[in-house]
Amino acid sequence: MKTLISLLIAGTLLLPAHLALSHDGRGGLTLEPQVSTRGISMGETGLVGTGDAESFAVNPSCLPLATTLQAGLAHGNLINGVASSATCFSVALPFGTEAGYPGIETPRHKYGLGFSFDHKGFDLAQGSRWSYQTVSLGFGYMFSQFASAGILSKTLFSSSDLDDAGVKAYGIDIGTRLELSPRVDLGLVIRNLLGGATWDSGESEAVPVVVNLGSSVVIPYGMSAEAALAVTSNGGSKLGLGLDAPIMETGFHLRGGFLHRPGDYSRTLLTAGFGFRHQRYQLAYAVRVGDENAFGLTHHFSLSGELR
């Protein structure tokens, strides 16, 4: 486990070198895991999760926070007005000796494992279709009362009826989560610290390194505010802000936020949604309001729950 922690430190130190290198990629193939429905409704935040199955791949260091075996299924559309879909099935399993800490109600496990299968696809011109599947395996380790680390392995396969449009890719992410206080959490994830892609044409390339920083702050009345910043080695970046507000003791949560992508084609998206939890299960919905000249209005749904 010292090796994993050393990788986290080394990745942070090597980041400036990665950002200084030009990227020969075709754009868009960042191998970023599917953001949870809750995260989408809050400006694509959710980097500091609570160990639920749906969002573990965003930061695998949160896996030990899962209370028991969990599974989640999410579905949504990618582009308004175009036949497109995004579906993700995921499972999270905490294990190891449970440890109770002062001020923390739920005992925490030492380790966590996660698996997800993510499918995305959309129709192209003249009846063609392009899709890809990403299989992710994650491992998390809680090495102190207030900190955990994790690693995620991703493998991508695509399918298309266009010549030389298929691609195979892989990436390795590392992440950490720090609990600064009972109200403030911080997260850091470096995506594609190792990775590469090979196209059907025989061309190979590196996938861009993506650095994600995030935080979650509990504010009065049980609400929480979240922020997430991503910087990509090919020059892209995005900033998300969101708010989650529980409705008294009903189990309902109202959520909202925005996502800003600067650059030559700068755009800002508004997001909103709700969540409902009943006993061991939770339902979430998110809507993302984008420019009609880009992706337009998209809808996202998810259902997750504890299996034991």
Side-chain angles (χ1 to χ4, degrees), residues 131-151:
S131 64
Y132 65 91
Q133 294 71 234
T134 305
V135 177
S136 300
L137 296 173
F139 173 75
Y141 172 70
M142 181 164 288
F143 55 86
S144 82
Q145 176 180 349
F146 306 111
S148 59
I151 187 168

Side-chain angles (χ1 to χ4, degrees), residues 85-126:
S85 64
T87 303
C88 183
F89 172 74
S90 53
V91 178
L93 173 66
F95 65 99
T97 305
E98 292 186 351
Y101 297 109
I104 299 176
E105 296 181 1
T106 305
R108 293 179 173 178
H109 293 267
K110 196 73 172 177
Y111 310 100
L113 290 175
F115 165 83
S116 70
F117 179 82
D118 182 5
H119 171 84
K120 290 183 174 67
F122 53 89
D123 289 347
L124 304 173
Q126 299 177 346

Side-chain angles (χ1 to χ4, degrees), residues 20 30 42 54 58-59 68 87 124 143 184 223 236 244 269 284 292:
T30 59
M42 298 172 63
E54 190 195 354
V58 177
N59 187 349
T68 185
T87 303
L124 304 173
F143 55 86
V184 181
M223 297 189 295
D244 183 314
L269 292 78
E292 290 298 329

